[in-house]
Amino acid sequence: MFVHQAIAILDSGVGGLTVAKEVMRQLPREKIIYFGDTARAPYGPRTPEQVRFFTEQIVDFLIQFHPKMVVIACNTATAAALDFISDKLPIPVIGVIHPGARAAISATKTGHVGVIGTVGTIQSGAYLAALKELSPYIEVISEACPDLVPLVERGEFDTDHTRDVVQRSLSRMSQNDIDCLILGCTHYPFLRKAIGKVMGPDVKLISSADETAREISTVLYQKGQLARGMETPIHQFFCSGDEVKFRQIAREWLGEEIHLTPIVWHVGRMADDGR
Ligand code: DGL
């Protein structure tokens, strides 16, 4: 029965599309149900409790579709809620921080790795812990870049303003002697070009999307739950905010039209805008 069920993917907004795209590429038979909480993005400046609450609310929504797996395609939510959600669900729950750390360890030659992410992710220390767990002698330099997510949510990937903001956000990081930079926020691959320009050709940019898709593939294979059959899956997308913007960004990033349903959250404890 599991082989026909979908993989649920969630993020604060459009960032998780970077993971969804890689899942579509590596596992083209798998159906995806995606939730982007665009009404409440960014999650980065919020407290871990609030992010955990939002994540649980989204998971409760997605679980009604009986997915075979949940992917928290958001570093901030992974840092705040992965263990909590894993303990709650009887199906596998995958985050993006361990896959990102693994990808960096296999890419670095010097052992000097940079990490950029939201305030929530960087303050959690989750990347540092994951990297050190894999390789205790690794040197890690971390920095929060809070101005990048709003650019992506607005669909400004390659404007003059974006290049300025990226330049400013990375001015300190680019001075460091690192050979890999972990894009520790699933929104950042949208800005890969601008980030690459500031960091230069000698710094490899590591996105957790590829490695996360590989982990999904491995877990489903081990459980005998990989989708079979030749029908092309019809993915389903939900967003809580601007439907037109989400559709436009998804079309540009995925290269196809999506089936999108807007969701309005009921206002309740911490379920409102919260700022
Ligand atoms: N895409 C998210 C992450 O990976 C969240 C960014 C945000 O909402 O601040 O951290």
Side-chain angles (χ1 to χ4, degrees):
M1 141 201 187
F2 278 115
V3 291
H4 303 300
Q5 291 171 250
I7 298 171
I9 301 183
L10 65 99
D11 179 47
S12 64
V14 296
L17 294 174
T18 58
V19 176
K21 183 174 182 174
E22 205 40 44
V23 175
M24 290 173 189
R25 194 183 69 78
Q26 291 188 31
L27 298 166
R29 287 167 160 157
E30 299 294 340
K31 175 181 164 78
I32 291 170
I33 306 172
Y34 183 97
F35 195 105
D37 197 7
T38 44
R40 303 188 296 197
Y43 280 7
R46 296 180 183 274
T47 64
E49 292 72 31
Q50 203 169 29
V51 172
R52 203 171 305 132
F53 178 80
F54 290 172
T55 308
E56 185 180 23
Q57 206 177 26
I58 298 169
V59 167
D60 287 346
F61 172 83
L62 289 170
I63 224 69
Q64 66 181 303
F65 300 97
H66 307 291
K68 57 186 170 186
M69 171 183 275
V70 169
V71 181
I72 304 182
C74 171
N75 293 264
T76 316
T78 298
L82 178 63
D83 293 343
F84 173 70
I85 300 292
S86 301
D87 288 348
K88 201 178 132 124
L89 296 183
I91 53 172
V93 181
I94 289 181
V96 283
I97 291 182
H98 272 273
R102 263 203 315 270
I105 296 285
S106 73
T108 184
K109 294 211 165 29
T110 62
H112 294 192
V113 171
V115 183
I116 51 171
T118 67
V119 171
T121 300
I122 299 303
Q123 275 180 357
S124 76
Y127 265 104
L128 181 65
L131 287 160
K132 291 274 185 193
E133 193 183 348
L134 292 166
S135 176
Y137 303 112
I138 201 103
E139 292 282 333
V140 185
I141 298 151
S142 310
E143 193 166 355
C145 298
D147 297 334
L148 304 188
V149 169
L151 295 171
V152 176
E153 285 295 325
R154 289 200 299 270
E156 292 175 28
F157 311 140
D158 198 23
T159 63
D160 286 345
H161 174 64
T162 295
R163 285 187 283 275
D164 281 355
V165 175
V166 170
Q167 170 76 52
R168 232 182 314 114
S169 299
L170 294 176
S171 64
R172 253 183 317 182
M173 184 55 84
S174 60
Q175 307 299 311
N176 292 307
D177 180 24
I178 54 172
D179 71 344
C180 281
L181 178 67
I182 300 179
L183 307 182
C185 170
T186 51
H187 282 70
Y188 297 171
F190 282 94
L191 306 175
R192 181 177 271 274
K193 197 168 152 202
I195 294 172
K197 208 148 176 224
V198 179
M199 297 307 296
D202 298 334
V203 177
K204 278 189 216 112
L205 303 183
I206 310 289
S207 137
S208 47
D210 312 15
E211 192 66 23
T212 302
R214 263 193 291 278
E215 182 162 334
I216 294 168
S217 167
T218 305
V219 172
L220 291 179
Y221 174 75
Q222 283 168 345
K223 290 183 146 297
Q225 292 178 1
L226 281 168
R228 301 199 183 95
M230 293 312 285
E231 321 85 73
T232 311
I234 298 174
H235 308 300
Q236 254 178 297
F237 294 80
F238 298 92
C239 74
S240 57
D242 184 342
E243 186 189 338
V244 175
K245 192 52 106 201
F246 189 95
R247 193 183 290 284
Q248 177 205 328
I249 293 175
R251 186 191 303 120
E252 196 173 324
W253 186 254
L254 302 175
E256 59 188 61
E257 281 301 331
I258 58 164
H259 294 267
L260 177 65
T261 310
I263 295 293
V264 179
W265 287 125
H266 298 293
V267 176
R269 187 175 66 94
M270 291 204 292
D272 60 356
D273 177 75
R275 268 167 285 175

